[in-house]
Amino acid sequence: MGNRFVLLCLLTVTSVTHAAEHFDGRSWWDVVKILSDDKYEGRNTGSPGERGAQEYLVSQLKALGIKPAGANGYYQPVELRSRELVEANSTLVLLRDGREEPLTLGQQAFFSTRVALAPRIAAPLVFVGYGLKVPEQDDDDLAGLDLKGKIAVVFAGSPAPMAAALAAHYQSLAERWKALKAAGAVGVLSIPNPASMDIPWSRMALNRTQPSMTLVGAEFDETPGDLFAATFNPEYAETLFAGTGHTFAEIAALGKDRKPLPRFALPLSIRATTQLVTKEVHSNNVVAVIPGSDPVRKREYVVLTAHIDHLGIGEPINGDRINNGAMDNASGSAMLLEVARSLKHNHDKLKRSVLFVWVTGEEKGLLGSRYYATRPTVPTADMVADLNTDMFLPIVPLKILTVYGLAESDLGDRVTAVAARLGYRVQADPEPLRNLFIRSDQYNFIKQGVPSLAMKVGFDPGTPEEKLFKQWLTDRYHAPSDDANQPVDLTAAAGFEEVMRGLTVQVANASQRPAWKTDSFFRRFAKAAP
Ligand SMILES: [Zn+2]
């Protein structure tokens, strides 16, 4: 691949003067095809398939002469524990006026094994609206409610005046649980917001028995004391609100427009019995470095991240059970390799070092990045930025980039300038309800104070492209059809790679390291005052 790349470079340098100077999209897609091949069985965290895909990456890095920067060569071991629900031995029942209303798991609701479910629990339900406690905005959905020993029923979303990044942070598993636990709650029943569901209930339910995973170590437990977690099908949610003077239709209509929600006790309890099977799982992050050339600044690192894991083998859809994860996230993993290859070949005399981290366990709750960000192989204070790529979706021509974290640090200004030079516009997250700012690996670096951003190929609201993206989520997101047999825009991919490369070079060579904006909420996590 190295030789072919050099040839392509010579050709493109003479024939193309704008947009994708270093990339053609094709060599990227070739790597995507390899990483998403059936032989890697969907790269489930800790599986032989994931290991195989990682070995492929490592072989390429070695061939390129890019140095290892893990704990064990290119690898950083990540120890995990999986939890699998034995659904046949688990039940969920609503209790109303002394009557039992058994729920069918998968139809009306399903358990979440993200928390250590208690084998038996019965508790009254309290509807807490969005369930958000945001001191910065004097917003406390839990105020005035008696949650002692109760299960909080949460409607996913946030009220409109709240900035997307702030709303996303307080909706994270850890932050939400902190507030609920302090109020005395013992569990959470979540109702998805029908206005922001990425995939239909039927497919959510299909994935429900996949084991979940946690990092080994009490310090990594984000939900201590949480005894119950389940998701309720919005189609059946009226039953929860019967006899309250409110309807779910009313709640959903308010939630769609990000309006404030009423909060009140429900005349119901829930009773659950569960059986969990736990197992040890061994996985790895893959870490490599291109050292900087400046005697002082080479000690600082521009970190590029992408998750290599995906969902593995699941329930069959149209006869296919391998979740190949071509876009999610062979695409980002391949892009990192392509950027590494390009930087290595083109000798841009990078002043700072560039660190490449292919993290594991993203699909299980951002676990590999959390492990790396808290147990880094280079000092945290020397990580000047994290540029993360997860499912950047080059499925339409690239005109506009969506940048998560655009207003939080001067990385936003830098990427705006890089993109403009290449003829692209940038926009902030147009879909704040989807919480994308905390739904990928950059979030763990942000929590360590590292200015971060993530980008995707974007769309202008109200255009046919918007429909295409929505359709992609409905049909292919977290489904076996996210494979190499789908339409892809190689020119868009090349343009995206060019922006990522340009931003990496800018951050590596600029005299100032990136800084949080003074008004950014996330500035509080900064350890090294920039
Ligand atoms: Zn995913």
Side-chain angles (χ1 to χ4, degrees), residues 113-427:
T113 49
R114 287 284 302 276
V115 313
L117 297 165
R120 286 188 71 82
I121 184 172
L125 300 180
V126 178
F127 182 63
V128 296
Y130 300 115
L132 290 170
K133 184 171 179 177
V134 182
E136 289 77 7
Q137 309 225 334
D138 274 329
D139 191 296
D140 186 358
D141 290 338
L142 312 182
L145 293 173
D146 174 14
L147 282 162
K148 282 240 164 358
K150 313 264 169 76
I151 288 169
V153 179
V154 172
F155 182 79
S158 58
M162 201 174 289
L166 194 63
H169 173 71
Y170 280 107
Q171 285 178 82
S172 67
L173 186 68
E175 291 300 322
R176 192 194 285 294
W177 180 246
K178 246 185 245 171
L180 286 171
K181 182 180 160 69
V186 295
V188 184
L189 180 64
S190 311
I191 312 174
N193 186 332
S196 64
M197 283 167 77
D198 282 348
I199 58 176
W201 176 268
S202 57
R203 288 216 289 109
M204 286 172 75
L206 212 51
N207 283 338
R208 73 185 185 276
T209 50
Q210 284 258 347
S212 62
M213 292 185 194
T214 53
L215 289 165
V216 171
E219 70 274 30
F220 292 115
D221 185 2
E222 294 187 298
T223 55
D226 194 348
L227 305 175
F228 174 89
T231 306
F232 207 92
N233 186 348
E235 260 190 64
Y236 289 86
E238 286 299 354
T239 189
L240 298 176
F241 294 89
T244 64
H246 296 278
T247 63
F248 179 67
E250 166 203 336
I251 305 290
L254 292 168
K256 181 172 194 275
D257 294 334
R258 303 189 70 201
K259 291 198 172 132
L261 296 182
R263 299 163 292 113
F264 44 87
L266 299 172
L268 285 171
S269 289
I270 208 159
R271 193 179 68 212
T273 56
T274 57
Q275 187 190 0
L276 291 179
V277 175
T278 62
K279 283 190 193 124
E280 303 301 319
V281 176
H282 309 285
S283 184
N284 291 278
N285 293 323
V286 172
V287 195
V289 68
I290 297 178
S293 58
D294 183 276
V296 177
R297 289 193 192 136
K298 72 177 179 191
R299 288 203 307 268
E300 296 181 335
Y301 297 85
V302 186
V303 185
L304 269 58
T305 47
H307 75 88
I308 180 77
D309 68 292
H310 191 52
L311 301 170
I313 295 171
E315 295 300 317
I317 296 179
N318 298 327
D320 187 359
R321 41 191 316 150
I322 298 178
N323 290 293
N324 303 79
M327 291 298 178
D328 186 11
N329 184 35
S331 70
S333 293
M335 199 211 55
L336 250 60
L337 184 63
E338 291 291 289
V339 169
R341 192 197 306 275
S342 170
L343 291 175
K344 181 76 184 168
H345 277 302
N346 286 276
H347 301 298
D348 275 61
K349 276 273 175 248
L350 300 171
K351 292 194 170 89
R352 296 188 174 88
S353 300
V354 181
L355 192 75
F356 300 87
V357 191
W358 287 268
V359 295
T360 186
E362 189 274 347
E363 303 285 9
K364 308 295 182 192
L366 316 183
L367 301 179
S369 58
R370 188 151 168 246
Y371 191 78
Y372 190 82
T374 52
R375 303 276 191 280
T377 55
V378 303
T380 308
D382 293 337
M383 293 193 256
V384 302
D386 173 45
L387 311 176
N388 185 51
T389 309
D390 186 0
M391 211 174 87
F392 67 96
L393 285 183
I395 57 173
V396 300
L398 176 58
K399 294 177 207 154
I400 185 160
L401 284 156
T402 298
V403 179
Y404 304 97
L406 184 64
E408 308 297 336
S409 75
D410 65 22
L411 284 172
D413 307 316
R414 298 176 195 229
V415 73
T416 303
V418 169
R421 220 165 48 227
L422 295 162
Y424 309 125
R425 291 175 292 130
V426 302
Q427 66 178 354

